[in-house]
Amino acid sequence: MAKDNYGSPKIHLDSRRQRFTYIFGVSCLCVLFYILGAWQNSAAAPKSSGSVSNKIECDPVNPSSNSRSTVVPSFSSSDAALDFEARHRLDLNETSGTAEKFPPCPSNFTEYTPCQDRTRGRRFERKMLIYRERHCPGNDELIRCLIPAPPNYKMPFKWPQSRDYAWFDNIPHKELSIEKAVQNWVIVEGDKFRFPGGGTMFPRGADAYIDDISALIPLTDGSIRTAIDTGCGVASLGAYLLKRDVITMSFAPRDTHEAQVQFALERGVPAMIGVIGSQRMPYPARAFDMAHCSRCLIPWFKNDGLYLAEVDRVLRPGGYWILSGPPIHWKKHYRGWERTQEDLKQEQDSIEDAAKRLCWKKKIEEDDLAIWQKPINHIACIQSRKIHKTPHICRNDNADAAWYKKLEACITPLPEAKNEEEVAGGDLKKWPDRAFAVPPRISRGSIPGVTSRIFEDDNQMWKERATHYKRIVPPLPQGRYRNVMDMNANLGGFAAAMMKYPVWVMNVIPANSGRDTLGVIYERGFIGTYQDWCEAFSTYPRTYDLLHADGVFSTYQDRCDITYILLEMDRILRPEGTVIIRDIVEVLTKVKSITDGMRWKSQIMDHESGPFNPEKILMAVKTYWTG
C-alpha cells in the first residue's frame, strides 16, 4: 500500500514566511493609521486653550452700554476647549451661524417677575389673596428680550458682609427705609443699604430675638435644621439663623413692601416670592423642622384653620411653630396695635383652638413669643377625631403634591407608627450628619427605584464632579458665588458637594418629573422647591450667582420651547454670573446656538470622565451690561 505524501519541508517553510509577511504588513498599516489619526486630531485642536472669560470684552452688541473694570470670573485655562468637530459628526458652527440675537428689554422691565406681575394679577379676584398668587403669562404674552440690569449695577458684597450691606444702585428702593424706619429693617447710608437686623417684633435685633427662641426650644443642637419664615420682611431672621446652622426658606408676597424678597436675595439669604392664599406652598410634606411668623398678618384661624393646616402639612413630626406679634401678648400691645382687648383675645382663642384641633401642643408662651409643637405621630390624633370632628384626616391625597394644588381644611396624615414613641416617617440624624445619612424616605422604600446603595453612589459621583468643577471654575471656592440654584436636583448630591463652599443651594425638582425626590432633599437638611421650567421662577431678576442644570434641556426639549428656559435663566442670573449645563452633545449644540445670541460667553467641554462620554458640559458667563 502506498504511503501518504505530506509535502516537502520547503513548501512548509514558504507557507510560514507568507503568514509572517502578512501579519507584519497588517501591523505596520495599523501603526501607520494610528499615527496619521493622532496627527489629524492634533491639527484639528485649537491652537489656544483660552478660557471663556479671556474672550469677554466690552459689549460688542451695544458698545454704548455701561462697562466696568471688574474682572469676570475665569474658567480654568488648563482645560482646553472641546475638540468638538474631531470627535462628533454634528458641526457646532452649522447651528450657531444662524443664532437669534436677543435685544435688551425696555428699562421698565428691570424688575420684571413674569408670574407675579402686578398688572396681570389685577385680573384675578382678591378673595384669599388669589390675585397675589402665581399667574404666568400665556404664549401670546411671552417676551423674547434680555432683562437689563439697572444703571451702575455693581457686584454684591461677598458673604458674610452681604448680610449687612447691599448697593443702593442694585435695588434702588427707599420705600422700606422710610416706612420701616422705626423698626430698623433697612437704612440708606450713602450709596449703600445697611441692614441692622431689626424687625417688627424684634426691636433689639434678630440676634437677640433668636437667642430668646433658643432659650425655649433646642435651636442649636442640630435637631432643627430647616425652617420657613412666612411674611419674612427682608429676611433678617433667616440671615441670622444661618449662624446657628439653620437654613430658612424666607417666603413673602410681592406687595406694598417693595422688593422684600429681592433685598433678601441681594443679601445672600434664601428667599422666594410666594403667598399662602388658595393653593399649597410649593414644598413637600414634612419638609421643615420649624415654621415662624412674626406679625406676618396671615389670618391663621379663618376658613376653618385652612392656613394653619398648610403649615401642619409642611412641618415635620415634632416640629415647632413660632408666633410673635398680634395677638400674642395682647394685654401689653393692644394700644399700639390699635385694636380692642376683646378683639385680640378672641383672635388668640381662635388660634389656640385651631392648633388644638390639629393635635398640636402649646409648649410655652413667654413675653412676645408663643410656641406650639406638632406631634411625632398621629396615633393619638386619630383617636381624638371622636371628639374633634373637624378638621378631618385628609383622604386619598398625595401629601407631597404642591404644584398648583388647592388648599384643603384637613389634617395631612403622617406615615403609620407602631407606637406612640415612634417618629412617623422615621427619625432624622442631627445636622450635619443628616446631610450624608441615608434619608428615611429612601431607607423605607418610599422613592421607587432608589436604594441606599444608589444614594451612596450618587454622593460619590457628585463629590467627583464637584472636584472637577473646582478645576474648571476657580472662583467657586473663593467666595465669588453665594446664591446657587440646582435646576434639576434629583437627590441633592450637588448641594451636598457644595457644603464646603460659602454658598447655599436652591434645589429645584421639576414638578412634572416622574420621580419626586424633594422630600429626600429636605430630610438631608437642604431646601428647595417644585418648579415647571416651562414657566418662570418665583424670584426677581439678578438673584442667583450660579445656575446648575443637569439634564434639564433633555427633559424639556419636547415640552416647550427651550429658548424661553434660557431667557428665564438669563433673567434670574446676575451679570457676570456663571452657568453649568450638563447634557448630551446634540442637546448642548442646540442650547449653545441660542445662548450665542444672549450676550453669554460659553464653551462646550468634555465630561470629567473623558472625551468619549456622550454627555458634555457647557460652561458660560453672562456678560456685564446695563439698560
Side-chain angles (χ1 to χ4, degrees):
M1 191 173 207
K3 294 182 180 178
D4 293 332
N5 187 359
Y6 290 99
S8 68
K10 182 178 179 181
I11 295 174
H12 285 295
L13 182 61
D14 290 342
S15 175
R16 284 198 296 270
R17 285 176 178 172
Q18 289 176 356
R19 285 198 298 269
F20 175 78
T21 303
Y22 175 77
I23 294 171
F24 179 77
V26 170
S27 300
C28 289
L29 286 173
C30 289
V31 172
L32 177 63
F33 283 119
Y34 177 82
I35 295 172
L36 180 61
W39 177 81
Q40 287 177 331
N41 279 347
S42 62
K47 295 181 180 179
S48 171
S49 61
S51 64
V52 172
S53 63
N54 292 336
K55 301 175 185 177
I56 295 178
E57 301 169 355
C58 295
D59 178 15
V61 179
N62 183 9
S64 63
S65 63
N66 294 343
S67 59
R68 304 176 348 132
S69 59
T70 55
V71 178
V72 176
S74 62
F75 300 147
S76 173
S77 60
S78 62
D79 282 81
L82 175 64
D83 179 9
F84 194 86
E85 295 180 5
R87 299 191 178 107
H88 306 283
R89 294 181 181 178
L90 203 60
D91 188 350
L92 182 61
N93 293 327
E94 291 179 3
T95 57
S96 62
T98 58
E100 177 183 354
K101 298 297 182 183
F102 297 94
C105 300
S107 58
N108 61 332
F109 278 75
T110 297
E111 294 180 1
Y112 180 54
T113 54
C115 296
Q116 278 85 15
D117 182 67
R118 285 175 291 189
T119 302
R120 185 178 302 105
R122 295 191 188 103
R123 305 174 192 171
F124 299 88
E125 56 184 317
R126 301 180 69 85
K127 181 183 69 174
M128 296 181 69
L129 301 180
I130 291 175
Y131 74 107
R132 287 187 179 174
E133 294 178 333
R134 283 177 60 89
H135 302 291
C136 298
N139 291 337
D140 59 333
E141 299 176 285
L142 296 175
I143 61 171
R144 294 179 77 91
C145 56
L146 305 177
I147 303 297
N152 303 316
Y153 179 89
K154 304 178 183 67
M155 286 304 302
F157 292 93
K158 286 187 177 181
W159 183 266
Q161 191 180 13
S162 65
R163 185 194 66 186
D164 302 322
Y165 293 97
W167 295 111
F168 177 83
D169 287 330
N170 291 8
I171 320 174
H173 294 287
K174 292 186 177 181
E175 295 90 338
L176 276 177
S177 64
I178 298 171
E179 185 177 346
K180 300 291 183 179
V182 178
Q183 297 160 9
N184 274 337
W185 279 26
V186 56
I187 298 171
V188 178
E189 294 182 348
D191 60 352
K192 296 185 290 293
F193 287 112
R194 183 169 65 86
F195 301 89
T200 307
M201 292 307 299
F202 30 98
R204 295 181 293 125
D207 240 354
Y209 178 79
I210 293 170
D211 287 339
D212 293 341
I213 295 174
S214 187
L216 304 176
I217 60 174
L219 192 60
T220 57
D221 69 350
S223 59
I224 296 175
R225 165 61 181 172
T226 57
I228 182 168
D229 185 16
T230 51
C232 63
V234 295
S236 288
L237 180 82
Y240 284 87
L241 276 172
L242 286 168
K243 295 200 308 183
R244 277 85 170 175
D245 278 336
V246 176
I247 187 164
T248 306
M249 180 69 78
S250 296
F251 190 75
R254 178 171 182 167
D255 61 2
T256 54
H257 294 167
E258 191 69 46
Q260 294 178 89
V261 168
Q262 192 175 15
F263 273 120
L265 287 158
E266 192 71 15
R267 301 175 69 183
V269 180
M272 279 184 66
I273 300 174
V275 63
I276 305 181
S278 67
Q279 299 174 351
R280 287 179 173 179
M281 294 183 285
Y283 314 118
R286 313 194 312 275
F288 299 100
D289 305 313
M290 182 177 81
H292 174 265
C293 163
S294 176
R295 201 172 186 179
C296 59
L297 306 180
I298 297 173
W300 295 113
F301 61 95
K302 291 188 176 179
N303 301 314
D304 299 321
L306 185 68
Y307 307 119
L308 212 55
E310 173 62 359
V311 173
D312 178 77
R313 183 185 73 87
V314 300
L315 204 58
R316 274 197 56 74
Y320 299 95
W321 183 58
I322 302 171
L323 178 64
S324 65
I328 304 304
H329 211 172
W330 55 266
K331 292 181 180 179
K332 175 183 177 182
H333 297 298
Y334 76 95
R335 288 190 179 88
W337 293 337
E338 297 180 353
R339 293 174 60 182
T340 65
Q341 296 187 59
E342 293 77 13
D343 180 34
L344 287 163
K345 182 180 184 304
Q346 182 181 4
E347 181 179 344
Q348 178 152 356
D349 289 345
S350 299
I351 290 175
E352 302 270 10
D353 181 64
K356 185 176 181 180
R357 290 175 180 273
L358 290 171
C359 305
W360 294 2
K361 290 184 178 180
K362 191 171 186 180
K363 293 287 292 183
I364 194 169
E365 181 176 334
E366 186 170 308
D367 296 328
D368 297 336
L369 289 168
I371 303 177
W372 286 263
Q373 186 173 21
K374 179 177 177 175
I376 61 173
N377 59 58
H378 273 168
I379 292 177
C381 190
I382 292 172
Q383 294 296 320
S384 73
R385 294 310 92 186
K386 297 176 182 178
I387 302 172
H388 302 295
K389 301 299 182 183
T390 58
H392 63 274
I393 305 292
C394 301
R395 302 180 183 91
N396 300 322
D397 183 42
N398 177 6
D400 290 341
W403 189 247
Y404 295 120
K405 177 77 171 178
K406 290 291 184 182
L407 291 176
E408 186 179 354
C410 60
I411 301 174
T412 302
L414 291 173
E416 291 185 10
K418 297 177 182 178
N419 54 65
E420 293 187 354
E421 286 72 38
E422 181 183 353
V423 178
D427 207 354
L428 296 178
K429 293 187 179 294
K430 292 184 177 182
W431 182 262
D433 294 340
R434 68 189 270 189
F436 293 97
V438 178
R441 296 189 195 218
I442 292 178
S443 61
R444 293 178 172 232
S446 301
I447 310 297
V450 181
T451 63
S452 299
R453 176 64 181 272
I454 290 174
F455 173 78
E456 291 166 357
D457 290 345
D458 186 76
N459 282 333
Q460 181 60 34
M461 177 185 72
W462 282 108
K463 181 180 178 181
E464 294 169 0
R465 289 182 172 183
T467 301
H468 183 62
Y469 290 163
K470 182 179 178 182
R471 287 197 298 267
I472 63 177
V473 190
L476 182 60
Q478 299 169 5
R480 168 65 181 76
Y481 310 110
R482 173 62 184 169
N483 302 347
V484 177
M485 177 184 288
D486 190 357
M487 297 173 63
N488 188 15
N490 193 21
L491 301 177
F494 172 75
M498 293 292 105
M499 284 175 59
K500 56 188 174 182
Y501 303 132
V503 305
W504 66 270
V505 180
M506 178 70 79
N507 295 279
V508 177
I509 295 298
N512 43 14
S513 64
R515 189 168 66 189
D516 182 359
T517 55
L518 192 54
V520 167
I521 289 169
Y522 273 95
E523 287 182 340
R524 299 186 68 173
F526 306 120
I527 61 172
T529 183
Y530 296 109
Q531 170 68 21
D532 182 351
W533 284 114
C534 291
E535 300 179 359
F537 193 76
S538 292
T539 190
Y540 285 85
R542 302 172 304 281
T543 46
Y544 285 88
D545 305 299
L546 174 65
L547 300 179
H548 183 265
D550 180 16
V552 170
F553 294 95
S554 290
T555 301
Y556 280 93
Q557 64 176 341
D558 296 325
R559 298 181 184 179
C560 54
D561 187 347
I562 64 172
T563 300
Y564 291 108
I565 300 178
L566 288 161
L567 289 172
E568 173 63 4
M569 293 170 68
D570 182 83
R571 184 186 73 87
I572 67 178
L573 187 65
R574 296 192 198 278
E576 301 179 354
T578 299
V579 176
I580 303 174
I581 302 176
R582 307 180 69 97
D583 227 307
I584 59 174
V585 168
E586 292 77 9
V587 171
L588 285 189
T589 56
K590 296 177 186 177
V591 170
K592 193 174 189 308
S593 71
I594 299 169
T595 62
D596 284 346
M598 290 174 54
R599 307 193 187 196
W600 289 11
K601 298 299 182 182
S602 63
Q603 68 184 41
I604 297 178
M605 299 179 174
D606 280 325
H607 189 276
E608 60 270 1
S609 65
F612 300 106
N613 194 310
E615 182 180 85
K616 304 298 176 186
I617 302 171
L618 186 148
M619 304 292 297
V621 169
K622 177 180 174 178
T623 59
Y624 177 90
W625 63 278
T626 65

